[in-house]
Amino acid sequence: MTIAVIGIGVACGLGHGKEAFRQGLFEAPNVFSHLKREGREPPEGEIPFIGVEMPDPPSILPARLARTATLSSRAAISVLDEAWNEAGLETVDPERIGLVVGGSNLMTRERVLALRDYSERLAYVPPRHGHMFLDTDICGLCTATYPIRGFAYSVGGASASGSVAIIQAMEAIRSGRVDVCIALGALQDLSAHDLQAMRAMGALGSTRFADSPADACRPMDTDHDGFIFGEACAALVLCRADKVTGGKLYGEILGASHVADGSRGPEPSSAGQVRAANLALAEAELTVSDIDTVNGHATSTPTGDDTELETYRTLGLEHARINATKSILGHGLSAAGAIEVAAVLIQIEEGRLHPNRNLETPLDPRFGWVGAKSETHDIRHALKFSFGFGGVDTALVIGAPGTGRRRQ
Amino acid sequence: MDSDQIVEIIIAEIRETVPELAEQAIGRDDSMADLGVDSIERSEIILAAMEQLGLKIPMVQLHGPRNIGELADLLLAKSSG
């Protein structure tokens, strides 16, 4: 069963909503700087963390709910509101609508601040803290604010969580459990503790560009030295392609795969990535030669980029055009898969590929990298990768409206 | 500190916790339930008031008051005790 995307909501360093996203994707302004949110200060004497912080989400919740909603929750409400209204879900039976929130341990920055604030006065911990830091508080706020009554839950897939949420939403529709399912890649609100641990691990950049944040995030470039965090959040409204009745149709998810490659930690596996891609292509009843565009996971980490290039070579993707949305937005972690699929769908709609920022010396020049400017390109079939720590490999085959070979 | 001062502390915490009540007149004869304050918000308000009073007692000892005035009287008694 082919799944259609009929609504999109986005939030990132480019701003809130699709208009800021669309313009920013193709113009690719610099949004990277030293991180300034409270709770992201570096250890004493060390260089500041680099990344992207989004503007404060628009006020949608009643004040009474907003004051106990975390940044991750408020960003989720903002993107859900946008996607919900675009898809016109007010006419759908609430019991036939589901919600899958992608991401785990989402609100660690605010949790760390709360632990700090109450460490000396534990007796006065606000009772609301008993549920407001749960990932599923996002589910609760979303279903309390919008008539979603099929189900709502969260799923974890580390940096592939957004794609895992999309795949779970697809499964829920295919099984007949609901007719419409919203996949939401939630904002991973990292604390200094998380950032420092990933810096110590060697995953987080950038030591090389400590004084020039604009140059720090450079997926697939020889000067890359680690991923750069970027706050993001995105919601996609999915439904059966044969049930779309007018309204917006961004594209179709023709094939999807989510596999475990047997890694415990951050180490990537090209074998797992290739297996995911081949399974997704098989489900779409397409071959690699049908893929004209690749949107990489492409984090800007040396090991990750090298391994992903090996995957491209093994699959034979030299003919396809390739870009990395993280070069513009940074790495949204739990949100990355969802907002990057949104980026693919916007590129399909516009018939344009967004630039690769900072790709000055590609690691492997034989591939069809998009340059520093956006380019006209008729996308029919795109391959989208998302990978996560703990051996999570996902691949999605995304088609322009009406391009699926496999019909119901 | 007298009961009326504690009433003012409680009312200020009610307005902080439920911003929708910011403009509403609230007095010692009102009950939080009638104002639409839910049970978790009520606990949050009472804990915040207790912290301002430097009072550390289990919440179960504060069951019973039917309005803000009675709650203030009880908090005052516990503070003095």
Side-chain angles (χ1 to χ4, degrees):
Chain A
M1 182 194 297
T2 302
I3 302 293
V5 181
I6 59 170
I8 295 177
V10 285
C12 61
L14 297 168
H16 293 278
K18 285 186 294 290
E19 283 325 298
F21 186 64
R22 190 185 306 266
Q23 185 178 352
L25 267 187
F26 297 109
E27 293 178 7
N30 172 54
V31 291
F32 293 83
S33 65
H34 292 133
L35 296 177
K36 294 180 185 67
R37 270 195 216 286
E38 185 182 19
R40 293 196 185 138
E41 303 80 6
E44 204 178 332
E46 293 200 22
I47 55 174
F49 297 113
I50 292 172
V52 181
E53 292 173 332
M54 64 170 64
D56 205 43
S59 298
I60 294 171
L61 291 169
R64 171 188 208 164
L65 286 179
R67 66 179 287 283
T68 59
T70 61
L71 177 62
S72 297
S73 295
R74 290 183 294 116
I77 291 290
S78 172
V79 299
L80 174 58
D81 188 74
E82 183 182 16
W84 180 280
N85 289 323
E86 182 173 47
L89 296 187
E90 66 281 353
T91 62
V92 179
D93 176 1
E95 294 187 12
R96 302 299 299 165
I97 303 176
L99 170 67
V100 183
V101 171
S104 51
N105 304 328
L106 292 163
M107 313 168 192
T108 52
R109 185 184 61 87
E110 287 183 68
R111 178 92 167 119
V112 166
L113 293 175
L115 292 171
R116 180 199 67 187
D117 290 347
Y118 286 91
S119 63
E120 303 294 324
R121 49 190 188 112
L122 195 57
Y124 302 114
V125 165
R128 193 65 69 182
H129 288 193
H131 70 79
M132 67 182 271
F133 300 117
L134 298 176
D135 297 324
T136 47
D137 194 46
I138 293 176
C139 301
L141 275 167
C142 287
T143 56
T145 311
Y146 299 86
I148 298 167
R149 295 294 180 270
F151 61 82
Y153 63 88
S154 65
V155 287
S159 293
S161 293
S163 288
V164 171
I166 290 169
I167 294 169
Q168 290 302 305
M170 293 170 70
E171 294 293 331
I173 295 168
R174 287 171 167 170
S175 72
R177 191 175 174 192
V178 288
D179 296 323
V180 171
C181 196
I182 300 150
L184 193 153
L187 190 163
Q188 188 103 46
D189 193 359
L190 293 183
S191 68
H193 186 110
D194 304 310
L195 289 159
Q196 181 65 18
M198 287 193 280
R199 177 185 273 180
M201 182 197 282
L204 187 77
S206 167
T207 308
R208 188 172 291 155
F209 297 98
D211 298 322
S212 54
D215 301 317
C217 188
R218 37 200 324 121
M220 299 293 177
D221 184 82
T222 52
D223 277 338
H224 61 172
D225 74 345
F227 86 85
I228 306 296
F229 172 55
E231 291 179 346
C233 184
L236 304 171
V237 179
L238 276 50
C239 73
R240 290 178 58 143
D242 60 349
K243 291 276 182 77
V244 175
T245 53
K248 192 80 187 180
L249 173 58
Y250 281 99
E252 296 167 8
I253 304 182
L254 306 172
S257 175
H258 169 198
V259 302
D261 66 35
S263 306
R264 183 266 174 109
E267 55 283 355
S269 159
S270 185
Q273 297 169 7
V274 169
R275 186 157 62 97
N278 282 329
L279 287 167
L281 285 164
E283 186 178 76
E285 295 181 7
L286 296 171
T287 64
V288 170
S289 62
D290 296 309
I291 296 297
D292 51 68
T293 305
V294 174
N295 186 281
H297 181 61
T299 61
S300 186
T301 59
T303 309
D305 286 355
D306 282 345
T307 304
E308 191 167 333
L309 278 174
E310 186 186 334
T311 297
Y312 295 174
R313 288 186 203 106
T314 304
L315 289 168
L317 284 165
E318 286 81 356
H319 63 282
R321 304 306 311 278
I322 308 179
N323 59 12
T325 305
K326 290 183 184 75
S327 71
I328 301 171
L329 306 181
H331 191 343
L333 304 172
S334 52
I339 201 160
E340 292 166 12
V341 167
V344 170
L345 293 164
I346 296 289
Q347 292 177 95
I348 287 174
E349 184 181 32
E350 295 287 325
R352 291 188 80 72
L353 294 169
H354 73 64
N356 279 307
R357 284 189 76 256
N358 293 327
L359 184 56
E360 290 167 355
T361 312
L363 288 167
D364 187 338
R366 290 173 301 163
F367 288 98
W369 308 109
V370 182
K373 298 282 181 199
S374 72
E375 296 177 26
T376 303
H377 182 64
D378 180 28
I379 304 173
R380 285 180 57 80
H381 298 125
L383 184 59
K384 168 73 200 125
F385 288 108
S386 281
F387 314 129
F389 290 172
V392 182
D393 300 312
T394 72
L396 299 170
V397 178
I398 302 166
T403 58
R405 286 201 183 149
R406 186 165 180 256
R407 310 313 308 180
Q408 282 75 16
Chain B
M1 184 74 65
D2 62 27
S3 179
D4 285 340
Q5 287 172 299
I6 296 177
V7 165
E8 289 309 311
I9 289 172
I10 294 169
I11 291 172
E13 290 298 338
I14 290 173
R15 296 193 201 283
E16 169 74 21
T17 304
V18 187
E20 285 79 352
L21 295 174
E23 304 300 321
Q24 183 155 338
I26 304 174
R28 60 183 300 132
D29 295 333
D30 292 312
S31 81
M32 286 198 250
D34 290 345
L35 291 169
V37 175
D38 73 26
S39 63
I40 295 183
E41 288 165 344
R42 181 176 184 277
S43 299
E44 185 172 346
I45 289 160
I46 294 174
L47 273 165
M50 283 167 56
E51 184 169 21
Q52 290 199 46
L53 296 169
L55 186 60
K56 267 189 191 173
I57 52 167
M59 286 287 283
V60 291
Q61 293 188 23
L62 295 173
H63 288 164
R66 287 165 297 180
N67 57 37
I68 293 168
E70 289 184 15
L71 175 63
D73 291 344
L74 183 57
L75 286 170
L76 181 62
K78 296 287 183 187
S79 299
S80 316

